[in-house]
Amino acid sequence: MKRKTLKKDKHFFRAMNEAYLFIPAIKNTLLKYNVPQEFMYLAMAESNFQTKAYSNKRASGLWQFMPRTGKLFHLRIDEYVDERRDLIKSTEAAAKYLSALHKRFGKWYLAAIAYNCGGGALNRAIRKAGTDELSVLADEKKRYIPKESRYYIRKIVALALIGSDEQYLMNSEYEYLLNRANAYSIATVKLAPGESLKRLSRLIHMPLKDLKKLNRHLKYDFVPPYAKNYDVYIPYIKLSEFKQKYYKEPMQNIYKIHVVTRGDNLSYLGKKYGVSYKVIKDFNNLKSNNLRLKQKLIIPIAKKSRKHKFDSKYYYMVKKGDSLHSISRKYKISVKNIQAQNHMTGSMIHVGDRLKLYE
């Protein structure tokens, strides 16, 4: 890959710019496992530094782990998380995997090739070539290793050369990348079971979309209900604010509470609120699918704000012929609920009355 081409399409710089916040974390993790820093560009070659990257072969995340390989390196994949998209845990898994491949093959460039095409394919290529020299294995005519792997190793080398060429960067419009990647980083914080990302974003004054970008491993806007303390990432500059403002809030104060009525079941409630019935079951520590009347269930969706403007979705204007019972049947809200919300002691209503219905 020619530098001229890279400069022209700005692919390298765009990827570096978008990943500046977690590049220091990747470097530190590789250093921790004695993996050369240049392997950071393996992640760029694999996923373009996109934690949400997903291939048609079911590989996912920054390091494009297949489900089987991810689980082999203790990355959790379940209803709530896909830790192949966890930028720290997946990098640790990749570092362990690369270290194991290096131990097996003895050279880092062979570890990189094996990461791409598999250890078995590389072994066969070495036997066929009679050597493990890169110049021979990457021969275009002999085709000892797959075409994709030949391109892959050249791409990593080209990206690494550009990333380490400080003189080149200093003479370009991207000089700021040299210092930016070192100045910014992320911090790991522990959150209580089921904690809401939306609530965290409000507490630390950070846009929810930016917080979610750092936490692509979470499939929902909350952390798993089964984890005592679960890792979530925030910008390091927000850590002090987190320590000052974060406190554990009971889940019933964060999410909607549903009181079980006749005919309710987990499947129906899941469809009603747009949440998997398994999630409702987990959030309420239910051992079976059976529900009892008047049982209170935590539904992990945000509570409706009580500060609504007039809106037909939340209020109802009484018309001629209406009664509390007819309104109750139409909107599937109990008469007692309507009375309680509107501070009514009886059932008398008048044409033009505005009734709250949003609970």
Side-chain angles (χ1 to χ4, degrees):
M1 185 178 293
K2 295 179 181 178
R3 178 174 301 177
K4 186 177 178 181
T5 306
L6 280 169
K7 186 176 181 181
K8 184 179 178 182
D9 66 17
K10 300 183 180 179
H11 168 85
F12 173 87
F13 300 108
R14 187 163 57 246
M16 289 288 286
N17 190 48
E18 289 178 359
Y20 76 91
L21 203 59
F22 50 84
I23 283 174
I26 294 174
K27 286 183 174 181
N28 289 338
T29 304
L30 293 176
L31 185 65
K32 175 182 172 184
Y33 290 94
N34 298 312
V35 176
Q37 298 285 287
E38 288 76 15
F39 274 84
M40 178 180 76
Y41 299 103
L42 187 150
M44 181 186 274
E46 285 282 359
S47 65
N48 203 27
F49 283 146
Q50 295 293 314
T51 50
K52 65 179 179 179
Y54 192 86
S55 79
N56 55 8
K57 294 181 181 178
R58 296 177 64 218
S60 184
L62 204 66
W63 298 90
Q64 289 291 280
F65 276 110
M66 296 292 284
R68 183 175 173 276
T69 312
K71 289 178 180 178
L72 187 66
F73 285 92
H74 309 295
L75 296 178
R76 191 161 190 157
I77 304 169
D78 61 20
E79 173 75 37
Y80 301 96
V81 298
D82 185 343
E83 291 183 343
R84 293 177 298 166
R85 295 183 172 193
D86 183 309
L87 58 96
I88 298 297
K89 291 178 182 176
S90 70
T91 301
E92 289 198 336
K96 290 175 184 176
Y97 188 23
L98 286 164
S99 294
L101 291 171
H102 178 254
K103 187 176 181 180
R104 178 179 173 183
F105 292 103
K107 296 175 182 176
W108 283 113
Y109 67 80
L110 293 176
I113 295 171
Y115 191 97
N116 179 254
C117 69
L122 178 58
N123 261 332
R124 289 191 293 273
I126 293 171
R127 282 200 303 269
K128 192 174 178 181
T131 179
D132 63 7
E133 287 300 315
L134 181 60
S135 59
V136 179
L137 291 173
D139 190 290
E140 293 283 349
K141 295 178 181 178
K142 299 290 186 179
R143 300 179 182 177
Y144 293 118
I145 58 175
K147 180 180 178 181
E148 180 188 342
S149 298
R150 294 197 301 271
Y151 171 75
Y152 179 78
I153 197 70
R154 286 200 303 271
K155 186 176 180 181
I156 294 171
V157 172
L159 293 171
L161 285 173
I162 290 179
S164 60
D165 191 342
E166 293 192 14
Q167 197 62 40
Y168 173 62
L169 288 174
M170 286 177 69
N171 294 327
S172 75
E173 60 186 294
Y174 300 100
E175 182 184 355
Y176 69 95
L177 284 175
L178 284 172
N179 296 322
R180 193 183 193 193
N182 294 321
Y184 293 83
S185 192
I186 59 169
T188 304
V189 296
K190 303 284 187 182
L191 295 189
E195 179 62 83
S196 163
L197 284 188
K198 193 172 184 179
R199 175 173 176 261
L200 176 61
S201 73
R202 287 198 302 266
L203 287 174
I204 64 173
H205 298 96
M206 179 180 178
L208 180 60
K209 64 180 179 63
D210 293 340
L211 185 59
K212 288 167 73 172
K213 189 176 179 181
L214 286 179
N215 295 279
R216 298 283 192 196
H217 55 293
L218 298 177
K219 293 183 178 180
Y220 297 94
D221 289 350
F222 49 74
V223 302
Y226 55 69
K228 187 175 181 181
N229 289 298
Y230 196 77
D231 290 349
V232 166
Y233 308 113
I234 62 174
Y236 187 80
I237 56 174
K238 290 288 182 181
L239 183 58
S240 176
E241 194 169 3
F242 172 85
K243 289 179 177 178
Q244 291 173 17
K245 296 183 178 179
Y246 180 74
Y247 59 95
K248 183 179 176 181
E249 182 80 274
M251 283 196 285
Q252 57 265 35
N253 293 349
I254 303 173
Y255 301 115
K256 182 173 180 64
I257 301 297
H258 176 89
V259 181
V260 175
T261 57
R262 194 174 300 281
D264 282 350
N265 58 57
L266 288 176
S267 179
Y268 164 75
L269 294 177
K271 290 175 183 176
K272 178 178 179 179
Y273 293 112
V275 177
S276 165
Y277 82 92
K278 292 179 181 178
V279 172
I280 298 175
K281 195 172 178 180
D282 289 344
F283 263 78
N284 293 277
N285 297 313
L286 301 178
K287 303 302 180 187
S288 75
N289 292 341
N290 298 325
L291 302 177
R292 64 180 186 276
L293 288 176
K294 297 185 178 179
Q295 180 179 2
K296 291 184 177 180
L297 296 175
I298 296 168
I299 311 293
I301 59 173
K303 282 187 173 183
K304 298 292 185 186
S305 170
R306 295 183 177 275
K307 298 178 181 179
H308 291 295
K309 294 180 180 178
F310 180 70
D311 186 327
S312 60
K313 183 179 178 182
Y314 305 111
Y315 291 85
Y316 179 77
M317 189 77 78
V318 177
K319 302 181 182 69
K320 187 176 180 180
D322 282 338
S323 68
L324 278 187
H325 289 282
S326 68
I327 296 169
S328 168
R329 285 195 302 272
K330 183 176 179 180
Y331 291 95
K332 295 181 173 58
I333 301 173
S334 70
V335 169
K336 287 184 179 179
N337 190 311
I338 298 173
Q339 288 173 322
Q341 288 187 84
N342 294 278
H343 309 291
M344 299 169 64
T345 54
S347 57
M348 183 71 70
I349 55 175
H350 303 89
V351 174
D353 284 350
R354 189 178 62 163
L355 302 176
K356 291 181 183 178
L357 298 178
Y358 57 80
E359 285 291 325

